[in-house]
């Protein structure tokens, strides 16, 4: 028999992280507006921090997901890295939520879908008036390649729930999260359901 | 007086009534996009599909008759309506945050009412050219849901036949009757009934887009199901009624 882990013998603190649902959040091809709206729940953030543990998120600066209960995805897919990150969330989060217009239908970034991405890059980085001589399309190997078209995230992975809005209001996010955490069935209420 | 039952409630009807016209007169909400009290039947959108004595039928084209048992707002039918709406949403470019009609849009309001939160299908992202040729009105064909309200309004009330539906299948599209195909060269006027009848953001007045702020508009104030018959009858957009003198928008 193994010696008992000293850490395991500590009295369980009320805010024991291991017993709380873990939430991961990310902004893909979004504007961070949905994350700002999450911060807009104001003093309810304290309650939220009491009942959940944040994993990978711009709020924690953790770079990769551990096993999580909920993954909140802001933004659609505009480049290869977005797809990679989304797949990591799907692999490690039990419940994946599309948060906001861009995650749900591509949103504003998808308004470029009628245009040719190669031509856009040339227009912006090479042909635009006022550029330095010799300017060219950035081609560093560390830069993720843009996709030909922006995609909604449900095009690539299964999405369990959608939380619409641009952004969803703080009240919508609060109503959604608290009902999701309570019984796994998020309820927005008509007053919180907006696509704009 | 003859009656049919709608979700268990007795609804009186007159000879010639459809299920929709009789139900709306009594203040009952049957979800719809392509129906208008002043215009002839179309049956284009199928969102008003109800069950009549157990069979699916469009409420806007089905004659009312005595002793019909009509199911309307059941979980099953609302789920079918949600599916129709999800198909309509991905077929067009219905990017609500960027649309002047948001909050005043029957497609959006009906989707709220049906509890639609997400798209389910892949987006088409159509790319049809705008028609901004007319000085007072512009058309975004990417938002047209082919409901034919403008077609019927222009034919039946304005007597101008400005609009028609052309093409077949996936290529079905709204066309404008003018030598150039542009609205400016047609007999269309911003005073036409057809100018204010579009349920979505396809046919819009210029320079009025944000006179009423987002989240203070018609369906932000009251859900579509709670609108009274008279409000529904007044088909004009609120944003055109209120003369704010602003110059934002298209």
């Amino acid at each position: 028999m193994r010696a008992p882990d000293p850490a395991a013998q500590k009295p369980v603190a009320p805010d024991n992280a291991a017993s709380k649902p873990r939430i991961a959040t990310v902004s893909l091809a979004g504007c961070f507006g949905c994350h700002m709206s999450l911060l807009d729940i104001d003093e309810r953030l304290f309650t939220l921090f009491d009942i959940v543990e944040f994993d990978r998120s711009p709020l924690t600066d953790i770079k990769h997901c551990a096993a999580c209960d909920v993954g909140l995805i802001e933004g659609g897919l505009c480049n290869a890295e977005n797809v990679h990150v989304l797949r990591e969330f799907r692999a490690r989060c039990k419940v994946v939520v599309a948060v906001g217009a861009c995650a749900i239908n591509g949103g504003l970034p998808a308004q470029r879908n009628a245009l040719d991405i190669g031509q856009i890059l040339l227009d912006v980085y090479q042909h635009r008036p006022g550029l330095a001589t010799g300017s060219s399309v950035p081609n560093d190997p560390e830069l993720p390649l843009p996709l030909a078209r922006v995609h909604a995230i449900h095009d690539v992975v299964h999405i369990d729930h959608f939380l619409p809005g641009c952004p969803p209001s703080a009240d919508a996010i609060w109503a959604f999260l608290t009902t999701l955490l309570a019984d796994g069935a998020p309820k927005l209420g008509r007053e919180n359901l907006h696509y704009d | 007086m003859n009656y049919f039952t709608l979700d268990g409630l007795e609804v009186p009807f007159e000879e010639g009534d459809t299920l929709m016209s009789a139900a709306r007169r009594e203040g009952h909400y049957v979800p719809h996009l392509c129906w208008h009290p002043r215009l002839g039947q179309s049956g284009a959108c199928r969102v008003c599909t109800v069950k009549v004595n157990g069979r699916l039928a469009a409420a806007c084209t089905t004659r009312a008759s005595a002793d019909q048992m009509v199911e309307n707002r059941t979980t099953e039918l609302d789920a079918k309506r949600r599916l129709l709406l999800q198909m309509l949403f991905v077929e067009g470019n219905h990017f609500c945050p960027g649309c002047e009609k948001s909050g005043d849009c029957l497609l959006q309001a009906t989707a709220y009412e049906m509890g639609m939160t997400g798209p389910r299908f892949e987006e088409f992202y159509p790319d049809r050219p705008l028609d901004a040729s007319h000085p007072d009105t512009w058309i975004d064909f990417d938002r047209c849901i082919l409901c034919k309200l403008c077609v019927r309004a222009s034919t039946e009330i304005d007597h101008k036949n400005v609009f028609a539906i052309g093409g077949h299948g996936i290529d079905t599209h709204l066309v404008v009757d003018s030598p150039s195909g542009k609205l400016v060269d047609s007999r269309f006027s911003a005073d036409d009934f057809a100018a204010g009848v579009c349920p979505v953001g396809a046919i819009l007045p210029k320079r009025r887009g944000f006179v009423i702020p987002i989240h203070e508009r018609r369906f932000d104030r009251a859900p579509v199901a709670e609108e009274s018959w008279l409000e529904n009858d007044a088909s004009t957009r609120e944003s055109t009624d209120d003369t704010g003198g602003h110059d934002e928008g298209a």
Side-chain angles (χ1 to χ4, degrees):
Chain A
M1 194 174 159
R2 271 170 43 191
D5 178 358
Q9 292 178 326
K10 279 186 192 166
V12 178
D15 65 342
N16 183 358
S19 65
K20 294 180 189 175
R22 294 185 78 80
I23 292 190
T25 78
V26 72
S27 180
L28 304 176
C31 69
F32 278 88
C34 297
H35 275 81
M36 295 306 292
S37 207
L38 170 63
L39 295 180
D40 262 350
I41 66 174
D42 297 333
E43 72 274 14
R44 289 171 288 187
L45 275 170
F46 293 113
T47 314
L48 189 62
F49 284 128
D50 282 343
I51 57 176
V52 304
E53 187 71 19
F54 275 88
D55 196 274
R56 173 180 177 157
S57 168
L59 310 179
T60 59
D61 212 23
I62 296 171
K63 304 297 185 194
H64 291 282
C65 281
C68 284
D69 297 279
V70 180
L72 304 178
I73 316 280
E74 169 189 341
L77 306 166
C78 77
N79 64 35
E81 194 234 358
N82 294 155
V83 178
H84 180 83
V85 173
L86 177 64
R87 288 194 166 130
E88 176 182 304
F89 268 69
R90 182 66 275 183
R92 300 186 188 170
C93 301
K94 289 180 196 160
V95 172
V96 174
V97 183
V99 180
C102 301
I104 287 173
N105 66 13
L108 183 66
Q111 304 307 298
R112 77 153 157 93
N113 281 354
L115 305 170
D116 179 76
I117 182 63
Q119 194 58 49
I120 295 174
L121 290 171
L122 286 173
D123 286 347
V124 170
Y125 290 104
Q126 215 155 305
H127 302 322
R128 190 160 47 103
L131 292 174
T133 317
S135 294
S136 62
V137 176
N139 196 24
D140 191 289
E142 288 212 355
L143 290 174
L145 287 173
L147 304 178
R149 298 180 107 198
V150 176
H151 288 267
I153 61 174
H154 76 280
D155 286 359
V156 173
V157 299
H158 173 74
I159 301 300
D160 299 286
H161 302 291
F162 298 89
L163 173 52
C166 188
S169 68
D171 287 342
I173 291 174
W174 181 249
F176 183 94
L177 279 182
T178 47
T179 50
L180 173 68
L181 293 168
D183 61 4
K187 291 170 201 69
L188 263 186
R190 169 61 187 84
E191 68 281 8
N192 290 320
L193 181 58
H194 285 284
Y195 304 154
D196 54 13
Chain B
M1 182 63 92
N2 285 314
Y3 295 88
F4 63 89
T5 67
L6 183 74
D7 289 340
L9 298 170
E10 281 196 337
V11 178
F13 66 90
E14 293 158 16
E15 188 58 35
D17 271 347
T18 60
L19 294 172
M20 177 70 85
S21 55
R24 287 305 290 168
R25 193 185 307 118
E26 290 300 304
H28 300 295
Y29 172 67
V30 181
H32 61 269
L33 299 175
C34 75
W35 176 80
H36 191 284
R38 289 187 61 189
L39 300 173
Q41 305 162 10
S42 170
C45 75
R46 318 311 286 186
V47 170
C48 73
T49 297
V50 292
K51 269 191 175 178
V52 184
N53 298 331
R55 284 173 175 250
L56 296 172
C60 72
T61 58
T62 303
R63 279 287 173 89
S65 67
D67 304 324
Q68 282 167 322
M69 302 271 286
V70 183
E71 293 169 56
N72 175 28
R73 296 302 305 278
T74 62
T75 309
E76 179 201 351
L77 286 168
D78 278 358
K80 288 186 193 300
R81 291 170 179 141
R82 199 158 55 239
L83 201 64
L84 288 171
L85 291 161
Q86 285 170 318
M87 290 195 276
L88 284 173
F89 263 85
V90 298
E91 250 184 53
N93 187 11
H94 297 290
F95 169 51
C96 296
C99 180
E100 294 179 18
K101 188 81 172 181
S102 193
D104 200 21
C105 169
L106 195 59
L107 177 68
Q108 184 192 61
T110 308
Y112 289 161
E113 186 64 29
M114 296 303 119
M116 186 189 106
T117 57
R120 185 177 180 125
F121 304 107
E122 251 181 74
E123 299 281 340
F124 281 35
Y125 298 123
D127 179 27
R128 309 180 189 106
L130 284 175
D131 183 347
S133 61
H134 196 277
D136 304 315
T137 303
W138 61 291
I139 307 180
D140 185 338
F141 292 95
D142 288 341
R143 297 180 188 147
C144 176
I145 58 168
L146 304 171
C147 70
K148 297 191 267 188
L149 278 173
C150 60
V151 177
R152 283 174 282 152
S154 187
T155 306
E156 297 169 23
I157 293 184
D158 304 327
H159 305 295
K160 290 185 177 180
N161 298 320
V162 169
F163 300 105
I165 302 294
H168 294 283
I170 195 66
D171 296 320
T172 310
H173 61 283
L174 182 66
V175 290
V176 173
D177 178 27
S178 73
S180 63
K182 294 288 182 193
L183 196 61
V184 70
D185 297 323
S186 75
R187 295 196 289 159
F188 177 86
S189 145
D191 303 326
D192 288 353
F193 190 69
V197 82
C198 182
V200 295
I203 303 177
L204 286 171
K206 291 186 175 179
R207 299 176 294 278
R208 313 295 306 159
F210 297 98
V211 169
I212 297 179
I214 295 275
H215 288 185
E216 292 177 22
R217 299 178 176 189
R218 180 176 163 197
F219 298 118
D220 297 319
R221 297 199 298 268
V224 61
E226 290 172 22
E227 284 204 317
S228 77
W229 161 258
L230 284 174
E231 279 171 326
N232 190 65
D233 198 14
S235 67
T236 49
R237 281 179 303 276
E238 305 250 347
S239 48
T240 56
D241 297 342
D242 182 17
T243 46
H246 294 263
D247 207 33
E248 307 100 322

